[in-house]
Each structure stands twice: as structure tokens, then as C-alpha cells.
Amino acid sequence: MEAIQMSDFTKLTDFTPKHQHRAYVNSAVRFHTPCTKEDRLAAAIKAGWNVFQFPSKYTVGDFLSDSGTTTPTIEQLAASLLGDEAYGTNWGYEQLLEQFEKTFGITLLGDHAEWEIFLFHQCRAAEHALFTQIGRGKKNLVIPSNGHFDTTHANIEMNKILALDIPSKEDKNFQGNMDIDKLRDGFWKPYQVPMVFCTITNNTMAGQPVSLENIAAISDACQTYKKPFFLDACRFAENAWFIKENEHSELTIPEIVHKTFSYCDGFTISLKKDGLANMGGALCVKKGTVLFNEYPDILDNLRDHQICTEAHPTYGGMSGRDIMIVVEGLKTVITQEYLNSRILQVRAFGDYLDELGIPVVKPFGGHAVYLDIDKFFEGTTMRREDFGGIVLSALLLLNGPRVCELGAFAFGTYDPKTGKETFPPFNYVRIAIPRNKYEIEDLFYAADCIKNLYDKRDQLPRAVCVYGKEKTLRHFKARFELQERK
Ligand code: F0G
């Protein structure tokens, strides 16, 4: 078998795009770091073709994540200058509590506050705190969800709790929903359910929204079986937009958000998504719910955890500046105008990919467009174990766009004893769109680059994992070689 020449990689990515990415729009660094395809190739090989290890300065169109990549608004920047960098109970913290009350419809202030808030530097730190408490001293626990995100899954399983996904695709408009029948059945299994989670929108399931009806049904099942119900609320505002759009709801976005949170006993949130911030996370817990039957001291234990690992409760892992940025972000994110521009841009991008004939997951979610990699390589010799999604994301780097495989490799596992890979039921590449950052032209350029590789799908190499295939969270650590397909 002939080895692939480096020049073959550059040839595969040679084409004339219909659109141009305007690198100067949002990033002076990228604009002032001109680089050739050869520079990118050298950097990609050095990174073991792992997109996370590729220098961002060489990207044009960085779609690795919508998390923490938001361009702050002028209001957010102005507010950040007023950040009060005090060690305890800074001025911004009071505003943050007020804004959480307004945005989520919960009470945090005053003697009759029904909720407690724990700030963290980002959501996974909140997950770590929560699941450490939930798992401590207990056995045979399972936490069902419509779809746990990868770090949520990992934080649950690190605490020896089973993380179970029970999605339902039945409702065409709300393919992020949970399978309520399976949830109800699950309560009777030998495992104990300490809590039920619902991720809005469902990132693992192609960023699809969850209906209010489904959220109400989960809450209802939880009440029947006396189990706490928590939301993973990272993209709560985008989810509310879909509820308004798909259900033709008379309610405003803020009203839908309030209704959503009225069903839950607690929530985790990464403020790096719908907080429109570059840093921040929180865990909010409603007091006096069924959670406290099993975990009477949980609030105190969470406080201790937070103080030991993050900081004083009134700032968590966030600076005064970060807090101010979140305060403003939580105002903007629930406006119809912002959400229209955000989600309709993602949709326009998805429509263009669709017009080009590229297999996309439809309907489009709120924060990303997902490519269906099994369909992308249908009719070619690319097998799942050749990791076509890794190949696509690797070669795209040479044109500038950075995307992320969330499929056979990221969610698959390798068993060193049998030498076999086990694959998830889906195989996606995600093109996550940062908020307030790109113009549609920039996105169309990325689509043109994908189309070029789609047209050459027969000739694309396979990805061979040369480091890390047996590791946990392997997509962050692995290294690959691109080799000729068998
Ligand atoms: N839950 C969901 C649904 C997420 O999408 C993420 C992060 C987290 C929890 C963890 O939040 O990053 O603040 O610790 N998602 C990012 C992504 C990383 O690219 O989808 P975090």
C-alpha cells in the first residue's frame, strides 16, 4: 500500500471557494498572522491532527465550540469596566442575583428566598461539586437524561454513578426530548435514581430542543416517584426560542423561560453559552424539595466544596469583570431580537449546506449544524472504524475552518482486551457557531470548504488513532495519522 504524500493533503484541499472568509472581521490576531497551507499542515501534523491542539491563530472560522467564544456586546464590555474586584460580596454579585431572579423567575434574595446559588468558573466545576455529593457513600445509582453532555457524563461516572441517555426522536419539532415511557420504567430498575437530568437544548443529540410538554412530563414523573428534577440549562434561551417558534406560543421568551424553570428543583448552567460570557458557571438548588430527603446536608456540603475548590461563595471562580459580563449577557439573551438573529443565522448556514447536498441533521438546532458522517461517506469504503469525521475535521484545518467530531471517535470506546471499538448510535461532526461573532459570508466559506471535501469523499484517507484510543474523554487527548484507506 502506498503511503500518502503530504502534498496529497494540500491537493485535496485545493479549490476555489464561492465565498471568502473575512478574517479581519473579528480577530486582529488571525488577520495579522498570515499563514500558508503548508504552515497549517505542519501545525496539524504537530497536533497529531487533533483539532483541540491546533493553534487558533491559524484558523479562519473557528467552529470548535460555541462555549466561551461569544463576542461581548458593547454593553457587556462597558459593564466589565465596572467590575468590582473585591474578595467578598462584590457589587456585581448583588446585581447577578437580581438578574438571575429576573431571567429565570427564581428567588435568591431576601428572607424568603426559595433558591440557593453556587457560582463556579464554568459548568463542569458545578457538575463536579454536585455529583460528588450525590455519589458520596452511595452505590448502584443511575442518573437518566435526554442526553448527558460529555463532561457531565464523565463527572457522573467518575463518581461511580451510571449516566443513562434515554432520548426520544418521536416529536419531529423537538428531537431533544426524553423518552418518558423509558423514564417511568427506569424508576423500577434495581438501580436507584437520585435525580433526573434534562439538557436544554440537547447538545449530544445534535443540539435539538426540548418541548415544554416534555419538560412538564419529566417533572410529573419525578413527582410521582418523588425524585428531584434538574435541568442542564446551558442553552435555555435558545430552547425557549424553539418553544415559541414551534408551538406558536403566545408567551414571550422571558415567560417561556420562567415556565421552564418552574418545573425543576435545580439546575446547572454554563454561562459561557447562553450567559453570553467567556467565563462562568452556576449551580442553583431549590430549597426544601425531595432532594433533601436523601441529602439533608447538601447545601452545606456544596458550600464547603465550592470554598475549597473555587473560592468565596459570592464570586465562585469568577472575577468581578466576569460577573458584570454575565449580568448584561443574561439581559440580552432573552430578547426576541437577539435570539432571532442568532438562530436564524445558524439556520441560514444549515440551509446553504443542505443546498450544496451535504448530509446535515435536520431540523437545525440552535447553536450548531451537525453533519451526518455515516451519510457523508455512504457508498464509499470509509468504515466507522476509519473515523471519517476525524478525517473531515482534520483536513478542513488546512483551509482554515475548525470543527469538531462528536461521533464514532468522541463517543466511541476501545476495549484493549478484545481490540474492538464500540460505537454510539450516531456519528456527527459539529460546526458550532460562536455567538455575535461571524457574518453569514464567513459561514458560507466554511460550507464551501466542506463541499470541496464532500466532492472528493472517495479519495479521502482514513484516520488511525496512534495515541489515546483507550483513554477516557479520548477526543481531547488522542493523536492520529491519516493513512490510505483499506
Ligand atoms: N452541559 C452542556 C450541555 C454543555 O454543552 C457543556 C459544554 C457543559 C455542560 C459544560 O460546560 O464548558 O462551562 O464546563 N459544552 C461545550 C461545547 C464545551 O463545546 O459544547 P462548561
Side-chain angles (χ1 to χ4, degrees), residues 51-52 62-67 69 124 149-150 201-207 235 273 349 353 361 367-373 389 392-393 396 401-407 411 427-435 450 475-476:
V51 291
F52 293 95
D62 195 351
F63 309 111
L64 188 57
S65 180
D66 65 316
S67 179
T69 54
R124 65 199 65 188
F149 180 64
D150 59 9
T201 56
N202 193 339
N203 191 5
T204 307
M205 304 298 157
R235 299 178 180 85
K273 284 91 173 165
F349 174 50
L353 282 162
V361 178
H367 71 293
V369 174
Y370 290 67
L371 306 181
D372 185 328
I373 293 304
L392 176 64
S393 48
L396 269 180
R402 172 159 63 171
V403 301
C404 179
E405 197 261 10
L406 287 179
F411 294 115
N427 192 13
Y428 299 143
V429 157
R430 184 184 76 171
I431 312 161
I433 314 296
R435 295 169 181 79
I450 294 166
H475 48 306
F476 296 112

Side-chain angles (χ1 to χ4, degrees), residues 8-22:
D8 293 339
F9 295 137
T10 44
K11 255 186 253 155
L12 282 170
T13 51
D14 279 345
F15 80 110
T16 310
K18 281 198 205 134
H19 303 85
Q20 286 304 322
H21 181 101
R22 292 155 318 145

Side-chain angles (χ1 to χ4, degrees), residues 4-16 37-38 41 395 398-399 452-453 456 459-460:
I4 300 183
Q5 302 296 314
M6 289 307 155
S7 57
D8 293 339
F9 295 137
T10 44
K11 255 186 253 155
L12 282 170
T13 51
D14 279 345
F15 80 110
T16 310
K37 203 181 273 189
E38 284 67 32
L41 179 62
L395 288 177
L398 303 188
N399 290 124
N452 166 58
L453 291 174
K456 297 174 186 163
Q459 307 160 42
L460 301 193

Side-chain angles (χ1 to χ4, degrees), residues 218-233:
I218 300 169
S219 160
D220 191 52
C222 285
Q223 275 178 24
T224 308
Y225 296 100
K226 299 201 169 26
K227 302 292 179 189
F229 172 31
F230 272 58
L231 290 170
D232 173 338

